[in-house]
């Protein structure tokens, strides 16, 4: 009787594990999507996809609902606990040093593999449907240095919170936190209230994450219902294969760096972040796991004040997977159109991407907008974005998961450095 009870408890705990539930949801979603694609008309499949994707939309909106209060409360409390501008400057300096190094390496990996494997050469451009790129091109037209600066500095914290502009919330929170720290004991009641609020929001995270398997199920089913995966992978075999080589290289570098700095603790970190990685992969949204990642990194042992400071910055400045894709996609389009880019021009492009990509994480399809803007600067046809749109969703899955790994690693390593100081 006792053995049977233990067996039932183990079985229950296995299926109650969030990661297991998400993996099952991905599998069932893919099966349902493939069934709909093979047995229903194109119109019927599109209609089904629109409805089933609402499950993913509901989940992502539930997450977005708590991002603004979570970033504001945790960051203000974190900075107030750090105590002074010197501490904030020290951690901020380490963070930015890591972010820019990681971004540069990610961009270089993308540049190296697209030049080595040359997936853009010999493409048939005759069947290219330029209209599919119109949405991205429209967003690109408003992309300028002026808009870039305006995007970073908030004109209203209420507007920034309403639109979930993480970087703008970060800027305001840093000023608010430093002001609270400088006042000292007088500001303690406000800081304590925000601390209690952040714990309430983190409790909400637990409730919201119960919807994650349903959201992933909807996202996967919706994509597979309208995409002929076999045809897509045959058409884009060279591009997607080359992209996977690049993203695998980036994972290898990130994991190697992780084991160098964290040693055996890196394995523990991976166990903690496996669930956020799979959610990001399934929903193609690294933003969707921001609250869950905050919780898991604190469980891993990184001080809450470090997590609350590092993660919001990382989500704006440290999107490693997206960075690798940007150089890869930009040079791929140039190859497809026969635009010659010498080494010097490519390095200039890399530096441009490094600067223009910072702080636009909240924009839908942010990577493609930056790629299109960069193409425009280097006289590469912007409509070439239409070449990569059909396969972009599947690339985005890997990009999003890589962004999560990069930010978890950056936060953990800076947390370790701070312990040693």
């Amino acid at each position: 009787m006792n053995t049977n009870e233990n067996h039932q408890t183990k079985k229950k705990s296995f299926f109650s594990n969030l990661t297991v539930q998400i993996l099952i949801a991905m599998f069932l979603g893919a099966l349902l999507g493939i069934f709909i694609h093979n047995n229903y008309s194109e119109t019927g499949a599109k209609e089904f996809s629109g409805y089933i994707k609402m499950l993913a939309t509901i989940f992502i909106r539930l997450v977005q609902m708590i991002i603004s209060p979570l970033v504001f409360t945790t960051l203000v409390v974190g900075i107030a606990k750090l105590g002074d501008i010197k501490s904030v400057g020290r951690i901020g300096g380490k963070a930015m040093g890591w972010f820019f190094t990681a971004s540069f390496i990610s961009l270089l990996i993308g540049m190296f593999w697209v030049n080595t494997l040359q997936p853009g050469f010999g493409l048939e451009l005759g069947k290219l449907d330029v209209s599919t790129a119109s949405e991205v091109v429209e967003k690109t037209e408003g992309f300028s240095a002026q808009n870039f600066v305006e995007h970073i500095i908030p004109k209203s914290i209420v507007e920034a919170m309403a639109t979930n502009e993480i970087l703008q919330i970060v800027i305001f929170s840093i000023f608010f936190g430093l002001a609270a720290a400088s006042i000292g004991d007088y500001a303690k009641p406000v800081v304590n209230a925000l601390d209690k609020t952040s714990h309430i929001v983190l409790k909400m995270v637990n409730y919201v994450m119960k919807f994650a398997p349903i959201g992933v199920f909807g996202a996967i089913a919706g994509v597979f219902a309208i995409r002929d995966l076999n045809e897509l992978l045959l058409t884009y075999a060279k591009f997607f294969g080359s992209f996977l080589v690049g993203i695998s290289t980036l994972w290898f570098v990130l994991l190697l760096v992780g084991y160098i700095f964290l040693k055996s603790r890196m394995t523990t970190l991976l166990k903690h972040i496996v669930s956020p990685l799979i959610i990001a992969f399934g929903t193609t949204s690294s933003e969707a796991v921001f609250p869950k990642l905050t919780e898991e990194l604190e469980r891993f042992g990184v001080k809450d004040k470090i997590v609350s400071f590092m993660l919001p910055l990382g989500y704006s400045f440290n999107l490693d997977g997206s960075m690798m894709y940007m150089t890869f996609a930009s040079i791929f389009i140039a190859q497809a159109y026969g635009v010659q880019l010498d080494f010097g021009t490519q390095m200039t492009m890399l530096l441009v991407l490094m600067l223009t990509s910072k702080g636009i994480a909240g924009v839908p399809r942010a990577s493609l907008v930056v790629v299109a803007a960069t193409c425009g600067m280097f006289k590469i046809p912007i409509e070439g974005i239409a070449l990569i749109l059909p396969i972009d969703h599947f690339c985005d899955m890997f990009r999003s998961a890589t962004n999560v790994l990069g930010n978890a690693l950056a936060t953990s390593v800076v947390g370790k450095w701070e312990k040693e100081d």
Side-chain angles (χ1 to χ4, degrees):
M1 181 69 180
N2 217 6
T3 313
N4 191 35
E5 276 179 13
N6 286 339
H7 177 71
Q8 283 182 336
T9 307
K10 279 182 185 176
K11 194 175 177 183
K12 190 180 175 185
S13 64
F14 177 77
F15 285 107
S16 61
N17 183 296
L18 184 64
T19 306
V20 174
Q21 289 175 359
I22 292 163
L23 288 170
I24 293 169
M26 285 177 75
F27 177 71
L28 294 175
L31 280 183
L32 178 61
I34 291 166
F35 174 80
I36 295 293
H37 181 79
N38 292 334
N39 293 280
Y40 286 77
S41 66
E42 191 178 334
T43 310
K46 273 187 181 176
E47 199 174 328
F48 168 82
S49 177
Y51 283 119
I52 199 79
K53 275 185 180 175
M54 284 170 67
L55 295 175
T57 305
I58 290 166
F59 169 64
I60 290 171
R61 282 189 170 236
L62 282 169
V63 173
Q64 288 172 333
M65 171 182 79
I66 53 181
I67 285 177
S68 293
L70 182 66
V71 172
F72 176 68
T73 54
T74 55
L75 190 49
V76 169
V77 171
I79 290 171
K81 282 180 181 175
L82 288 173
D84 56 24
I85 293 176
K86 193 178 172 184
S87 299
V88 174
R90 186 184 70 246
I91 297 168
K94 288 175 182 175
M96 297 315 285
W98 180 284
F99 295 161
F100 276 94
T101 305
S103 294
F104 188 71
I105 290 168
S106 303
L107 288 163
L108 271 179
I109 288 171
M111 184 175 138
F112 172 79
W113 283 116
V114 77
N115 281 299
T116 304
L117 300 173
Q118 301 187 334
F121 286 111
L123 276 185
E124 291 287 330
L125 296 176
K127 296 176 184 175
L128 188 62
D129 182 8
V130 178
S131 63
T132 56
S134 58
E135 183 193 343
V136 177
V137 173
E138 280 168 21
K139 285 178 186 166
T140 307
E141 285 166 3
F143 189 93
S144 65
Q146 185 184 345
N147 289 347
F148 173 68
V149 173
E150 286 173 358
H151 187 84
I152 291 174
I153 311 296
K155 60 181 177 183
S156 160
I157 185 58
V158 177
E159 183 187 41
M161 284 187 161
T163 52
N164 266 342
E165 294 288 359
I166 292 180
L167 186 56
Q168 293 184 7
I169 299 167
V170 167
I171 299 287
F172 179 84
S173 302
I174 289 171
F175 277 100
F176 193 100
L178 287 171
S182 67
I183 292 171
D185 289 346
Y186 189 72
K188 264 190 179 175
V190 176
V191 175
N192 288 338
L194 288 174
D195 193 17
K196 288 179 172 67
T197 306
S198 72
H199 283 91
I200 294 168
V201 176
L202 282 169
K203 188 65 182 173
M204 287 172 70
V205 171
N206 291 329
Y207 300 147
V208 169
M209 280 303 137
K210 293 186 187 302
F211 289 90
I214 299 167
V216 170
F217 173 79
I220 297 289
V223 170
F224 277 76
I226 54 172
R227 297 280 191 209
D228 188 328
L229 197 60
N230 292 329
E231 189 183 315
L232 203 62
L233 291 180
L234 279 173
T235 308
Y236 286 93
K238 198 174 179 188
F239 174 82
F240 194 58
S242 304
F243 166 75
L244 288 180
V245 170
I247 212 82
S248 301
T249 306
L250 181 53
W251 269 70
F252 175 77
V253 170
L254 288 171
L255 291 172
L256 181 65
V257 169
Y259 278 105
I260 289 169
F261 284 104
L262 300 175
K263 299 182 170 58
S264 60
R265 291 271 292 155
M266 184 64 196
T267 307
T268 312
L269 175 65
L270 289 172
K271 286 176 184 171
H272 274 278
I273 65 168
V274 67
S275 176
L277 283 171
I278 295 169
I279 295 169
F281 183 83
T283 59
T284 67
S285 172
S286 44
E287 195 180 58
V289 297
F290 180 93
K292 179 71 175 169
L293 193 57
T294 302
E295 197 176 46
E296 289 298 341
L297 287 171
E298 286 178 11
R299 279 184 187 163
F300 172 66
V302 185
K303 287 181 183 174
D304 55 355
K305 61 184 180 183
I306 303 292
V307 176
S308 60
F309 185 76
M310 285 289 298
L311 262 195
L313 280 177
Y315 265 68
S316 297
F317 291 102
N318 190 45
L319 301 171
D320 299 334
S322 299
M323 299 301 285
M324 176 262 152
Y325 186 71
M326 284 175 199
T327 39
F328 187 90
S330 302
I331 298 169
F332 166 79
I333 294 167
Q335 289 174 357
Y337 280 92
V339 178
Q340 296 298 317
L341 300 170
D342 58 37
F343 180 73
T345 307
Q346 289 192 27
M347 286 306 292
T348 307
M349 180 187 279
L350 188 145
L351 293 171
V352 167
L353 282 166
M354 190 140 171
L355 294 172
T356 55
S357 62
K358 303 305 176 194
I360 66 149
V363 179
R365 288 197 165 176
S367 302
L368 290 181
V369 174
V370 176
V371 168
T374 307
C375 286
M377 288 178 204
F378 289 87
K379 304 292 183 285
I380 303 163
I382 295 177
E383 61 270 17
I385 287 289
L387 279 168
I388 55 178
L389 275 177
I391 196 78
D392 183 67
H393 183 93
F394 297 98
C395 295
D396 205 4
M397 289 171 135
F398 291 92
R399 292 200 303 262
S400 299
T402 310
N403 293 341
V404 171
L405 174 67
N407 279 316
L409 184 59
T411 306
S412 302
V413 172
V414 171
K416 182 176 182 283
W417 288 342
E418 281 300 302
K419 271 184 188 174
E420 290 169 358
D421 283 354

